[in-house]
Amino acid sequence: MPEGQFQLAVIVGSVREGRFAPVVANWFLGQVERRGDVVVDVLDLADFTDHGMPRDGSGFTERIGAADAYVVIVPEYNHGYPGPLKTAIDTVRVEWRAKPVGFVTYGGVSGGLRAAEQLRQVFAELHAVTVRETVSFHQARTRFDSEGEPIEPGAVELAAKVLLDQLAWWAFTLRAGRDARPYGD
């Protein structure tokens, strides 16, 4: 990894047919591209799973392990996060440890925030650090225009910047920590 850069894995956490995830993911990736300190790797679970189970030989675990930080783009389905996302998270263990995780959520009234709160508990158990700032789209399908851009971009662009700033701080700090002293069990 070049000096002054960190590797960010963006995990697209919905595999449903007709999902809105690509719209949200493409917008967020545009926000990431504005920065010079990030090398991004997109892991769309729709490309890695069969019926929610990661395919053998997909490279998913290795790519999670190579990342310094993660952003999970996650919808809220029935007050929770998608089952295939949980399965994918659980197929990886030590690769998550001592690395930061952020969330970009979308959904109905709650904007996916309930899914993020549940995922914070899951990642805490895996020894990952979740950042406080979350980008959230309430009633997501009404928040984007036909070109996939937010109708009111100011607040969500600021939230994305703050999220990425927090992830960068944690990614560099925890990478230095892991280099100086490997994280134990």
Side-chain angles (χ1 to χ4, degrees):
M1 182 63 50
E3 184 70 28
Q5 290 187 315
F6 70 98
Q7 183 154 336
L8 175 67
V10 175
I11 302 163
V12 182
S14 174
V15 300
R16 278 188 179 178
E17 195 169 315
R19 65 197 176 133
F20 195 67
V23 174
V24 177
N26 288 336
W27 169 81
F28 182 72
L29 291 169
Q31 302 303 299
V32 173
E33 289 173 2
R34 295 178 177 185
R35 301 178 65 96
D37 61 350
V38 181
V39 175
V40 69
D41 182 18
V42 179
L43 297 122
D44 188 336
L45 293 186
D47 298 332
F48 283 91
T49 62
D50 288 321
H51 308 292
M53 295 298 295
R55 291 186 199 106
D56 290 339
S58 67
F60 183 77
T61 299
E62 294 79 8
R63 289 169 69 182
I64 292 295
D68 295 306
Y70 313 98
V71 167
V72 181
I73 298 177
V74 60
E76 181 179 316
Y77 296 151
N78 301 316
H79 288 228
Y81 55 89
L85 176 59
K86 176 69 162 123
T87 301
I89 291 168
D90 287 349
T91 62
V92 180
R93 296 288 301 168
V94 299
E95 291 82 1
W96 299 114
R97 291 184 178 174
K99 295 180 182 178
V101 181
F103 302 101
V104 175
T105 67
Y106 64 97
V109 174
S110 78
L113 293 173
R114 291 179 285 220
E117 289 308 309
Q118 293 170 20
L119 284 167
R120 289 180 195 286
Q121 295 173 34
V122 171
F123 281 109
E125 183 63 24
L126 294 168
H127 298 248
V129 177
T130 60
V131 299
R132 182 186 178 283
E133 190 65 37
T134 300
V135 181
S136 177
F137 292 97
H138 305 267
Q139 304 295 340
R141 291 182 187 269
T142 67
R143 301 290 180 199
F144 289 83
D145 64 21
S146 61
E147 302 297 315
E149 293 298 321
I151 294 169
E152 297 177 10
V156 292
E157 287 180 0
L158 178 60
K161 180 189 180 315
V162 173
L163 169 67
L164 289 165
D165 287 347
Q166 289 176 1
L167 278 172
W169 187 91
W170 280 105
F172 289 123
T173 301
L174 291 175
R175 182 169 65 193
R178 290 190 311 274
D179 290 346
R181 183 175 182 177
Y183 188 81
D185 292 327

